[in-house]
Amino acid sequence: LKVGDDGSRGAFIVLEGLDRSGKTSQCSKLLSYLEGLGHPTELWRFPDRSTSIGQMISAYLSNQSQLDDHTIHLLYSANRWEKSSLMETKLKSGTTLIVDRYSYSGVAFSSAKGLDFEWCKAPEIGLLAPDLVLYLDITPEKAAERGGYGGERYEKLEFQKKVAESYQALRDPSWKIIDGCQSMEEVQKLLQEIVLDHVIACKKGRALSH
Ligand code: DGP
Ligand code: NA
Ligand code: NA
């Protein structure tokens, strides 16, 4: 994938973790941090509930609709695919994307239901690969203690335990694992250091991969 004339581009940074792992707050702090340093940055999240596919996912999550496990899996994946060309355009134009959940959530949550691991990975093949995956590591029990779950379909301790196991199976050595039980400030400090390194490396021109 060719990028800007001088090879410079935005960094594609993904945050993953269980529900209530603190991802969403950390993502918005990262956004203000990078913007404060003058790096063009956007915060994205998946599922992106603003599209029509996203609205189907949202209705499913709030139990307003029932869908077969395979069907909802493919909708989540389609939701990433429908945003992929815009994502590529933004990165090439030099915008860093902080992305709250990506393909790893897709595989972790669906395989936690018992769907075949390889089948779960298949529709994700060919999507843009992130430059960095940050995993906010917190036990399912700790997550459950944090101000309670919002009541959506997957926000139950027993299910989150299975998701944690799936994430464990998915992890590869390139992931940065952050202990999510530290204070918000400590977590943010660690994230800032790692993310800034990647933003600078991408600015200097590292190719994007699929
Ligand atoms: P969030 O908006 O980040 O709270 O995500 C909503 C819920 O959907 C959350 O429990 C995680 C789950 N989720 C996110 N992405 C996927 C996916 O691709 N597949 C499945 N099965 N679940 C997902
Ligand atoms: Na949630
Ligand atoms: Na979240």
Side-chain angles (χ1 to χ4, degrees), residues 29-30 33 187-197:
K29 284 172 187 282
L30 278 175
Y33 171 69
V187 172
Q188 181 58 204
K189 201 164 155 267
L190 287 169
L191 292 177
Q192 286 177 354
E193 283 169 18
I194 304 171
V195 166
L196 187 58
D197 278 351

Side-chain angles (χ1 to χ4, degrees), residues 46 64 82 133 164 177:
F46 289 107
Q64 286 166 321
E82 68 180 333
V133 179
I177 314 294

Side-chain angles (χ1 to χ4, degrees), residues 19-20 23-24 45 100-101:
D19 285 297
R20 309 293 300 162
K23 270 180 310 81
T24 305
R45 74 180 305 168
D100 186 349
R101 298 193 182 283

Side-chain angles (χ1 to χ4, degrees), residues 16-20 23-24 45-47 49 57 60-61 69 72-73 75-77 80 100-111 113 124 152-155 159-160 167:
E16 287 283 354
L18 298 179
D19 285 297
R20 309 293 300 162
K23 270 180 310 81
T24 305
R45 74 180 305 168
F46 289 107
R49 303 186 193 211
I57 297 170
Y60 169 82
L61 283 170
D69 291 343
I72 184 66
H73 181 79
L75 287 178
Y76 274 111
S77 186
R80 286 182 279 276
D100 186 349
R101 298 193 182 283
Y102 196 56
S103 301
Y104 315 96
S105 286
V107 179
F109 281 76
S110 290
S111 67
K113 298 172 178 176
E124 308 297 320
E152 284 201 323
R153 188 182 285 264
Y154 299 142
E155 297 176 347
F159 186 69
Q160 297 284 324
Y167 269 126

